Amino acid sequence: MRRNPFGVDICCRKGSRSPLQELYNPTQRSLERVSPPWLELSNTAVLHQMRRDQVTDTCRANSAMSRKRRVLTPNDLKHLVVDEDHELIYCYVPKVACTNWKRLMMVLTGRGKYSDPMEIPANEAHVSANLKTLNQYSIPEINHRLKSYMKFLFVREPFERLVSAYRNKFTQKYNTSFHKRYGTKIIKRQRKNATQEALRKGDDVKFEEFVAYLIDPHTQREEPFNEHWQTVYSLCHPCHIHYDLVGKYETLEEDSNYVLQLAGVGSYLKFPTYAKSTRTTDEMTTEFFQNISSEHQTQLYEVYKLDFLMFNYSVPSYLKLE
């Protein structure tokens, strides 16, 4: 077993308090970590309460749409990563820093095997056997963990996330599996007079074709969306599972380190920070939507509407909704 350079045992939570207790009923020790303690902690607590309320209110207001499914099955829980040592459940959403959060979960659950999240190769973080998900437990075990562990997720402006997924999966030459699996299908359905090469390779999907594929009723009838462009409410089921903490991509570092602080590991484990030069920005997203007709923009907004409302993202100013 590799020695942990932090010199701290990261296998198990210190003390008897769980992250859930720290979140809803912080100790004096927690309050002393921030300065000015009461003001900053109360602001953070109020912010996260507002985010929780926003989800609850949206679920209630859109109950017909958001609660089509009355009961979740274990298969619905495969995105919920479990850390038993620190009593955490993290629902990962692709294109919302999930590689770094999976790295952190590997450090937290590795019992000393890993210490620096950035030493874990990205592809290793996505190997399903490296992390335990909630669907691997029995029904009573699932219910116990949902009730007593702190559940959190990270969200992002829905269309920025969508453009990020498109850029990563359809404009990078190395993503041949996506080109074959989805690109060929999209071109066949959405492109008139497609060349034989385009139909065979599927490696030059235009953003307009991708959008047309997403809003095509046939697509959703055929199979669920791929996780990289599936809605957050379909991946993480926030109308059925009460998330204690909703982190945002816009405040990623701050929110991530708050989770680590609540888990009792914040003094020696921090969210990895580095500037990603290829990151999809709001300006970039605006540009991608320039060539999308107002009719298609309106239909696409309807697909992701609950994510916009639930996580308090306003309708983008560049949209021309009908």
Side-chain angles (χ1 to χ4, degrees), residues 261-301:
Q261 179 195 315
L262 292 168
V265 298
S267 59
Y268 54 88
L269 192 57
K270 297 277 184 255
F271 186 80
T273 57
Y274 65 99
K276 198 174 176 186
S277 59
T278 58
R279 191 177 89 78
T280 301
T281 61
D282 182 51
E283 292 76 19
M284 224 178 263
T285 305
T286 304
E287 218 168 288
F288 272 89
F289 272 84
Q290 290 305 308
N291 297 327
I292 307 298
S293 70
S294 57
E295 184 190 358
H296 281 190
Q297 287 186 4
T298 304
Q299 289 173 276
L300 191 68
Y301 180 77

Side-chain angles (χ1 to χ4, degrees), residues 59-77:
C59 290
R60 196 177 291 131
N62 297 272
S63 58
M65 189 174 169
S66 64
R67 293 185 67 93
K68 281 178 188 165
R69 304 273 302 284
R70 288 288 160 204
V71 179
L72 296 182
T73 65
N75 193 47
D76 293 317
L77 308 174

Side-chain angles (χ1 to χ4, degrees), residues 18 24 31-32 59 69 75 82 91 99 109 111-112 126 163 179 191 200 222 226 228-229 249 264-265 268 278 309 315:
S18 71
Y24 292 111
L31 297 173
E32 286 162 3
C59 290
R69 304 273 302 284
N75 193 47
V82 180
C91 184
T99 303
T109 59
R111 303 198 167 195
H126 295 294
V163 169
H179 303 158
R191 187 178 302 176
R200 183 170 51 83
E222 186 179 54
N226 176 275
H228 292 84
W229 49 85
Y249 194 72
V265 298
Y268 54 88
T278 58
L309 297 174
V315 176

Side-chain angles (χ1 to χ4, degrees), residues 28-266:
Q28 187 61 39
R29 192 166 47 81
S30 298
L31 297 173
E32 286 162 3
R33 287 194 200 119
V34 289
S35 176
W38 292 105
L39 179 65
E40 197 171 320
L41 196 91
S42 65
N43 283 349
T44 305
V46 167
L47 170 73
H48 287 287
Q49 184 60 56
M50 283 167 66
R51 288 181 185 175
R52 284 192 293 272
D53 289 347
Q54 180 73 22
V55 173
T56 306
D57 293 347
T58 306
C59 290
R60 196 177 291 131
N62 297 272
S63 58
M65 189 174 169
S66 64
R67 293 185 67 93
K68 281 178 188 165
R69 304 273 302 284
R70 288 288 160 204
V71 179
L72 296 182
T73 65
N75 193 47
D76 293 317
L77 308 174
K78 56 181 186 285
H79 271 248
L80 279 76
V81 176
V82 180
D83 170 10
E84 293 192 1
D85 293 330
H86 303 90
E87 298 189 1
L88 300 171
I89 292 176
Y90 160 58
C91 184
Y92 73 89
V93 178
K95 308 314 298 174
V96 193
C98 82
T99 303
N100 279 348
W101 255 108
K102 283 181 176 181
R103 284 171 164 145
L104 280 171
M105 293 300 278
M106 283 174 73
V107 172
L108 290 169
T109 59
R111 303 198 167 195
K113 185 180 176 183
Y114 310 101
S115 54
D116 178 0
M118 293 314 283
E119 280 181 9
I120 302 170
N123 61 329
E124 207 176 306
H126 295 294
V127 173
S128 55
N130 286 336
L131 290 165
K132 195 163 185 185
T133 47
L134 198 57
N135 59 316
Q136 295 170 261
Y137 292 86
S138 69
I139 301 292
E141 288 170 334
I142 288 170
N143 288 332
H144 166 70
R145 281 157 184 76
L146 284 174
K147 186 178 174 187
S148 57
Y149 286 16
M150 187 177 85
K151 301 164 295 299
F152 67 99
L153 78 165
F154 279 80
V155 299
R156 183 177 186 176
E157 202 279 340
F159 285 171
E160 193 182 289
R161 177 178 164 242
L162 190 66
V163 169
S164 176
Y166 166 77
R167 290 179 66 223
N168 179 244
K169 300 305 173 193
F170 295 109
T171 69
Q172 305 292 333
K173 292 297 174 194
Y174 61 80
N175 259 322
T176 50
S177 61
F178 268 81
H179 303 158
K180 286 263 188 255
R181 172 84 175 79
Y182 295 100
T184 52
K185 187 188 293 184
I186 293 170
I187 290 169
K188 186 181 176 184
R189 284 200 201 151
Q190 307 300 336
R191 187 178 302 176
K192 289 174 182 168
N193 308 318
T195 65
Q196 284 306 306
E197 188 184 18
L199 290 167
R200 183 170 51 83
K201 286 187 173 179
D203 64 352
D204 66 342
V205 172
K206 296 181 176 71
F207 186 64
E208 299 92 297
E209 294 169 335
F210 179 52
V211 168
Y213 163 79
L214 293 174
I215 60 177
D216 182 350
H218 181 73
T219 302
Q220 299 204 46
R221 280 197 302 269
E222 186 179 54
E223 60 181 345
F225 278 180
N226 176 275
E227 61 175 21
H228 292 84
W229 49 85
Q230 180 59 285
T231 59
V232 175
Y233 83 83
S234 297
L235 289 177
C236 296
H237 311 285
C239 291
H240 294 78
I241 294 169
H242 172 79
Y243 285 92
D244 304 290
L245 205 138
V246 176
K248 292 202 163 190
Y249 194 72
E250 297 76 17
T251 48
L252 178 61
E253 202 178 325
E254 205 178 307
D255 294 344
S256 296
N257 289 327
Y258 182 49
V259 172
L260 295 170
Q261 179 195 315
L262 292 168
V265 298

